[in-house]
């Protein structure tokens, strides 16, 4: 018999005229190794069929389930209930994104906009012949590119960013990291001048106030601090 | 015409982004770095009072250029103050870009900060708040320094605290400067990736420790110094406005009475003392003659 | 009436759907991709281990080519696959991987010189040639002769998905997420698009298109224990089934992966074993060599999963509150290797079980148990990817039974299939959309919309006896208990009856919240009956197939029966029925490049031979002998044995080192 835990979830449907925002409280028995995915699924199955939230892979790979857990943005699927000693867990949707309902926010739309804004794809004029041997790449460079390619667009860096909350047009750590990723990629022929056109303003790299909540909360432990600093140095050095 | 078009479109005629935002960010950091380092020096000079009134007096005279102008000239201090004030204004203008611009932004940030309890986010708010406070606190201080540089000295500065009732402003200014400066230096380091080394996370944790150490050190130093001036100010309350005479000069004065009995020197006139001090500093009589 | 028109409609935004959409868009078609979730969150991202393609760059991959990849795939499928499709696939895979490299997938590259690896629990040194420095590296996976699985650390699917999604964004493909296709618009056995529900507003829209491609993934979530994401409910296949015309193929062919972690069911990649990790029992004994002396932990997935269950049945499992399990030990690979190449695995173990798998000895062992992992069955298509019966519908990826995998899929072949079929089927699909002019009455569209609208309204209004969540859980339990790794006639018959009963119950439920938008219970209410239809196709197919083949293992029919069962199960669903209609499609041995034989792993002597197998083998041997004598190369010989359709640019010869 596990202990009883209390989950308080913000319930609100902005599309409904009658919906009023409130915290709904649910009591349930904790099971061994219970994650918020397990807890919320159980709540929906047994206590409240109407509670909305997003999960996909439930393994911390897809980045769907970012939410504010006791005030801090986390991937809910990787958050264990046993880590909350008093057994009370408050859940809120991530700020900075459009609220769909309850704990569900529209990260997809925002991330697609971000991808378009920083032109998140390889820019090249070469059309390699795919029947021929591929272009060799230095193994270390490939690994460094991969390191930055591990971002799962969960939106936690964005939700954690005070700058972004004040200034809705701020590109966020995810966008700055993406630029650093393509700058690293030898397949991409863009120059720093090109990258400046994407993020060289106060909504981009020069708007960042180095609050570093992105770095401190990134579930993939991406080197955001270093990479943002690196891009800033490179873009400031341009004539 | 191109300025008109660029201002209207937000990009140049060639469709390029302006390089100005990069420069603004750079100069915000550069002026900040200068001011932070300047304030370290300033603190050390001001705290010379903890050694002795004479020492503080000597430091003051040094800044009046006593080593190359006979007797020094407080105008030099005014010029320095004007430069620093200009840099502060530039830094403030650039820093203001980051402030919350309206209530919505302010509320969003405050809610977020309280909910998340993330240290660096909270520190930023302190930094912004103290920066804002300094618009007024530092201006008051600098205006006086600009207009009355000759009053700087062990008694003059102390009287300013007590008799002129400036100590509350200086106390607040001290807190603002030390928090703003040390947080600012820490943020500069992480913002530009200084001292990063092989593991940025470890470096940052260390930088954070250094930051707190610096804050603590300068706060203690500053508070002690302020207390010292206040103590002098209290003791000197009845003679407020009277200038400090360095010990060496009193000796000199005594000697001069001995050597030229006919001369009657008014203790309250400033100029002859200056000359004497200048001579003392040139090392002729400074020490040697015991009392 | 809310109608959206486009040339090419792609339902499903995982790797296969996006890759096909890129193909369609590149041919100038207006292309819309619909997805339940933001496309970069698709389950493709969870593919950790890698993508098979016979590049043959690295030392352990040297000498690899399409022929060896083909043979591995056919054996892996237990001769259940379509060999023409397998040929199309292996020929295109190297091109796919090279194209992806250009699109920014940061494939792990070869470093020249010596490196240490673990093979058969022993440390060995491999020295890579200077000339291959910087080319794409590959690792070992189950059921393959060569080290063929290309990878980016253990986040291969993620990096591929992002690269392809980014290419889709670059080409301005109209990607619309949080949209669910709930039925197809069909008239005269032709599909004209889909009726789609917006999951945010709850509104219905009609998408009308010249061609519709379904790439919605597998149906793993009909099982209680599965590695699949929560969106893998197979509803894309179900809407094809519900037309009454579209056929599903081999639905009983369901794969169980040997090493999901207990109890969360999160997959620990095959790369763990490929890189040298081993399985241990309650005594810490490495048991796989006892059962499979040659391939050991690296036999095909169906074999390893069964051996594990067998070992547990022999009383060698580790007891836990979640039932018995076994151990996966990767600590022998060394901390450095794990922290570089198996980092996600380490993170999963640490987060969900508090275990650091790099710790040596028992405290670093991860508890594992086979669970549902992959759906070989799906929408039955021709080699072009078009539905065998429903014109205008194409399908690729896991949603399809293109039939690359037959009755068992090789590790690394599914991620590979997503992109490769996206290229090949996507190309045929685009061609279809270019060539087709549609002529549809607006009344038809209106009817289709109204039908769905009325159905959803009826679900909200109905005051039924049952709770949809209870029904869903019951279905999952039945599938796990009776239609899983070990199957037999009695249990399967019971399962069919129970599922049928559940299906009837699912039509009589009540939904508590009465709103159309943002109502998760309503979504369950219309999805679960679809899932039950699929579950019934699986169970009926399994009950009727009285043989063991690949992942389909009947304890009452232990042998692979080539004499009677060398055929594909086809299921359709007539409106109003409570059970699927089953027919069969024969596989023609006399057209096979590789006639049925022993797989090389698993138990020997368990085949009921078809007399044609030997006959065809003789033919094949003769042709090969004659042509070799005449100095023909392997490609000419292959063409003579079994020519296959494929776009010329995909059929072109692949360049390799030393070839």
């Amino acid at each position: 018999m596990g202990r009883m835990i209390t989950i308080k979830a913000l319930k609100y449907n902005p599309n409904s005229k009658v919906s009023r925002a409130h915290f709904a409280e649910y009591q349930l028995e904790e099971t061994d190794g219970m994650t918020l995915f397990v807890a919320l699924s159980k709540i929906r199955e047994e206590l409240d069929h109407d509670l909305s939230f997003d999960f996909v892979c439930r393994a911390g790979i897809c980045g769907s389930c970012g939410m504010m857990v006791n005030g801090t943005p986390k991937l809910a699927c990787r958050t264990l209930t046993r880590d909350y000693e008093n057994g009370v867990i408050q859940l809120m949707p991530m700020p900075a994104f459009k609220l769909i309902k309850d704990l569900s926010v529209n990260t997809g739309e925002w991330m697609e906009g971000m991808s378009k804004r920083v032109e998140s794809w390889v820019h090249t004029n070469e059309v390699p012949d795919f029947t021929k041997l591929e272009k060799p790449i230095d193994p270390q460079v490939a690994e460094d590119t991969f390191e930055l390619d591990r971002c799962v667009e969960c939106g936690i860096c964005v939700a954690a960013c005070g700058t972004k909350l004040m200034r809705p047009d701020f590109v966020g750590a995810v966008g700055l990291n993406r630029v650093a990723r393509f700058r690293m990629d030898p397949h991409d022929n863009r120059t720093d001048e090109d990258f400046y056109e994407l993020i060289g303003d106060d909504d981009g790299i020069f708007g960042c106030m180095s609050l570093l909540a992105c770095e401190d909360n990134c579930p993939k432990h991406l080197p955001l601090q270093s990479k943002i600093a690196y891009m800033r140095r490179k873009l400031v050095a341009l004539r | 015409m191109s300025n008109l078009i660029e201002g209207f479109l937000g990009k140049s005629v060639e469709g390029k982004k302006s390089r100005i935002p990069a420069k603004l960010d750079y100069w915000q950091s550069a002026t900040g770095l200068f001011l932070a380092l300047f304030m370290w020096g300033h603190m050390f000079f001001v705290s010379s009072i903890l050694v002795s009134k004479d020492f503080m007096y000597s430091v003051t005279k040094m800044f009046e250029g006593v080593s190359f102008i006979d007797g020094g000239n407080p105008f030099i201090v005014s010029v320095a103050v004007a430069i620093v004030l200009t840099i502060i204004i530039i830094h403030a203008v650039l820093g203001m870009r980051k402030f919350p611009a309206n209530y919505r932004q302010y509320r969003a940030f405050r809610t977020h900060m309280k909910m998340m309890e993330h240290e660096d986010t909270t520190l930023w708010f302190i930094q912004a708040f103290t920066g804002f406070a300094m618009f007024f606190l530092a201006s008051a201080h600098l205006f006086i320094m600009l207009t009355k540089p000759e009053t700087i000295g062990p008694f003059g500065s102390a009287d300013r605290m007590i008799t002129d009732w400036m100590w509350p402003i200086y106390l607040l200014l001290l807190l603002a400067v030390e928090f703003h400066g040390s947080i600012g230096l820490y943020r500069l380091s992480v913002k530009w990736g200084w001292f990063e080394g092989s593991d940025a996370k470890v470096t940052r944790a260390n930088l954070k420790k250094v930051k707190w150490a610096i804050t603590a050190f300068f706060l203690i130093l500053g508070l002690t110094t302020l207390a010292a001036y206040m103590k002098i100010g209290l003791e000197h309350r009845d003679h407020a406005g009277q200038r400090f005479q360095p010990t060496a000069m009193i000796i000199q004065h005594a000697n001069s009475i001995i050597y030229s009995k006919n001369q009657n020197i008014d203790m309250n006139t400033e100029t002859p003392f200056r000359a004497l001090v200048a001579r003392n500093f040139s090392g002729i009589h400074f020490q040697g003659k015991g009392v | 009436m809310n109608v959206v028109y486009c040339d090419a409609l792609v339902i499903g935004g995982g790797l296969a759907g996006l890759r096909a959409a890129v193909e369609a868009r590149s041919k100038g078609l207006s292309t819309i991709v619909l997805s339940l979730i933001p496309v970069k969150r698709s389950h493709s991202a969870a593919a950790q281990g890698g993508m098979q393609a016979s590049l043959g760059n690295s030392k352990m991959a040297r000498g690899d080519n399409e022929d060896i990849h083909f043979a591995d795939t056919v054996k892996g499928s237990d001769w259940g696959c379509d060999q023409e499709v397998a040929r199309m696939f292996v020929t295109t895979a190297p091109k796919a991987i090279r194209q992806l490299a250009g699109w920014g997938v940061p494939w792990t590259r070869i470093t020249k010189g010596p490196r240490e690896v673990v093979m058969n629990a022993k440390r060995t040194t491999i020295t890579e040639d200077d000339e291959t420095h910087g080319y794409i590296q590959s690792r070992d996976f189950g059921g393959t002769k060569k080290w063929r699985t290309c990878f980016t650390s253990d986040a291969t699917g993620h990096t591929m998905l992002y690269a392809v999604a980014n290419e889709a964004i670059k080409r301005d493909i109209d990607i619309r997420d949080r949209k669910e296709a709930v039925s197809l618009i069909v008239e005269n056995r032709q599909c004209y698009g889909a009726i789609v529900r917006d999951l945010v507003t709850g509104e219905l829209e009609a998408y009308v298109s010249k061609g519709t491609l379904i790439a919605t993934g597998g149906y793993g979530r009909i099982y209680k224990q599965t590695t699949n994401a929560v969106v893998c409910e197979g509803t894309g296949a179900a809407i094809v089934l519900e037309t009454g015309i579209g056929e599903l193929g081999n639905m009983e062919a369901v794969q169980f992966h040997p090493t999901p972690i207990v109890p969360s069911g999160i997959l620990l990649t095959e790369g763990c074993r490929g890189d040298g990790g081993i399985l241990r029992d309650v005594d810490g004994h490495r048991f796989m060599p006892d059962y499979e002396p040659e391939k050991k932990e690296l036999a095909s997935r169906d074999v390893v999963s069964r051996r594990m269950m067998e070992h547990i049945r022999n009383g060698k499992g580790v007891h836990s509150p979640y039932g018995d399990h076994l151990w996966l030990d990767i600590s022998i690979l060394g901390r450095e290797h794990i922290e570089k190449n198996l980092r996600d695995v380490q993170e999963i173990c640490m987060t969900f079980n508090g275990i650091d798998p790099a710790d040596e000895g028992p405290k670093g062992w991860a508890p594992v148990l086979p669970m549902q992992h992959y759906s070989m069955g799906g929408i039955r298509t021709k080699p072009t990817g078009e539905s065998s019966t429903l014109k205008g519908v194409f399908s690729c990826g896991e949603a399809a039974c293109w039939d690359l995998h037959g009755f068992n899929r090789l590790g690394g072949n599914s991620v590979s299939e997503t992109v490769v079929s996206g290229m090949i089927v996507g190309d045929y699909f685009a061609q279809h959309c270019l060539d087709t002019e549609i002529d549809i009455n607006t009344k038809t569209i209106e009817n289709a919309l109204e039908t769905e609208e009325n159905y959803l309204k009826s679900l909200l209004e109905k005051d039924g006896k049952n709770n949809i969540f209870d029904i869903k859980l019951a279905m999952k339990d039945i599938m796990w208990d009776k239609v899983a790794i070990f199957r037999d006639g009695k249990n399967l018959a019971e399962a069919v009856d129970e599922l049928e009963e559940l299906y009837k119950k699912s039509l009589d439920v009540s939904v508590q919240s009465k709103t159309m938008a943002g109502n998760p219970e309503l979504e369950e209410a219309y999805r679960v009956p679809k899932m039950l239809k699929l579950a019934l196709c699986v169970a009926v197919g399994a009950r009727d197939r009285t043989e063991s083949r690949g992942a389909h293992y009947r304890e009452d029919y232990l042998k692979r029966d080539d004499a009677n069962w060398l055929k594909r199960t086809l299921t359709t669903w007539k409106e109003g029925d409570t059970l699927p209609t089953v027919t069969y499609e024969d596989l023609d041995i006399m057209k096979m490049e590789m006639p049925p034989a022993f797989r090389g792993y698993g138990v020997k002597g368990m085949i009921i031979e078809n007399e044609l197998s030997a006959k065809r083998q003789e033919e094949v041997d003769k042709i090969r002998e004659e042509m070799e004598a005449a100095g023909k190369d392997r490609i000419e010989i292959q063409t003579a044995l079994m020519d296959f359709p494929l776009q010329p640019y995909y059929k072109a010869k692949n360049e390799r080192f030393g070839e």
Side-chain angles (χ1 to χ4, degrees), chain B residues 15-288:
Chain B
K16 295 287 185 195
K17 268 191 178 149
S18 165
R19 293 280 196 257
I20 298 295
K23 301 221 161 33
L24 299 182
D25 214 32
Y26 174 80
W27 282 108
Q28 185 190 347
S29 293
T31 50
L33 177 66
F34 169 81
L35 289 170
L37 296 179
F38 170 77
M39 284 318 296
W40 282 8
H42 180 281
M43 192 70 239
F44 283 122
F45 296 133
V46 171
S47 65
S48 57
I49 196 71
L50 297 174
V51 178
S52 70
K53 295 192 190 78
D54 280 326
F55 185 49
M56 192 271 176
Y57 186 81
S58 328
V59 170
T60 310
K61 288 292 145 190
M62 183 179 79
F63 283 109
E64 287 174 5
V66 88
S67 53
F68 47 91
I69 299 173
D70 198 28
N73 189 343
F75 184 67
I76 296 176
V77 175
S78 290
V79 171
V81 170
I83 293 170
V84 171
L85 183 61
T86 310
I87 293 175
I88 287 181
I89 292 171
I90 293 171
H91 184 69
V93 166
L94 296 175
M96 258 167 47
R97 296 179 305 139
K98 313 273 178 166
F99 281 14
N102 52 40
Y103 179 62
R104 189 201 66 75
Q105 293 187 359
Y106 173 80
R107 188 180 57 186
F109 193 91
R110 288 285 291 175
T111 308
H112 173 70
M113 181 180 100
K114 285 184 186 161
M115 179 167 74
M116 210 168 59
E117 294 176 353
H118 175 256
E119 191 186 9
D120 284 24
T121 302
T122 310
L123 286 179
W124 181 84
F125 190 81
I126 295 171
Q127 200 187 358
F129 181 81
T130 51
F132 183 72
M134 280 193 287
F135 285 4
F136 315 102
L137 299 173
S139 298
H141 166 63
L142 284 162
F143 188 72
I144 296 169
M145 296 303 111
L146 192 66
T147 53
K148 294 182 175 177
E150 73 282 359
T151 61
I152 303 172
F155 288 157
S157 299
D159 290 343
R160 212 183 333 275
M161 297 298 150
I162 301 299
T163 310
D164 295 346
W165 271 99
M166 288 291 278
W167 68 266
I169 283 191
Y170 279 101
L171 177 64
L172 292 176
L173 183 57
L174 172 72
L175 292 170
V177 166
E178 295 317 331
F179 278 106
H180 190 89
S182 60
I183 297 171
L185 282 176
Y186 161 76
R187 199 174 304 286
L188 280 181
S189 309
V190 293
K191 178 172 177 171
W192 297 97
W194 298 339
F195 323 112
E196 210 168 69
S198 58
D199 190 338
K201 286 186 203 305
V202 172
T203 308
R204 181 169 155 226
N206 290 334
L207 283 172
K208 186 66 86 41
K209 281 184 207 147
V210 171
K211 183 212 96 65
W212 283 116
I214 289 173
T215 308
F217 172 75
F218 280 106
L219 269 183
I220 293 167
L221 186 64
L223 288 169
T224 320
T225 303
L226 184 62
Y229 281 111
M230 286 172 72
K231 181 167 171 284
I232 297 169
L234 282 168
E235 289 162 2
H236 196 249
R237 191 162 35 177
D238 297 338
H239 307 283
Q242 197 181 52
R243 295 299 156 79
F244 176 73
Q245 294 182 13
T247 316
M249 191 164 54
I250 295 170
I251 296 163
Q252 177 75 18
H253 180 59
N255 288 344
S256 68
I257 291 170
I258 294 164
Y259 294 132
S260 54
K261 287 172 184 159
N262 298 333
Q263 267 184 303
N264 185 12
I265 293 166
D266 181 358
M267 294 284 280
N268 288 324
T269 50
E270 194 88 18
T271 340
F273 291 128
R274 285 241 165 96
L276 288 169
V277 170
R279 244 181 286 138
N280 288 337
F281 266 89
S282 57
I284 305 167
H285 299 296
F286 193 68
Q287 290 177 349

Side-chain angles (χ1 to χ4, degrees), chain A residues 58 120 131 134 149 153 181, chain C residues 41 57 104 158 166 226 655:
Chain A
R58 54 89 175 87
S120 164
T131 63
E134 65 274 14
D149 201 44
E153 296 189 358
R181 179 240 174 274
Chain C
R41 313 227 181 284
N57 290 335
H158 165 82
N166 285 335
T226 175
E655 191 187 359

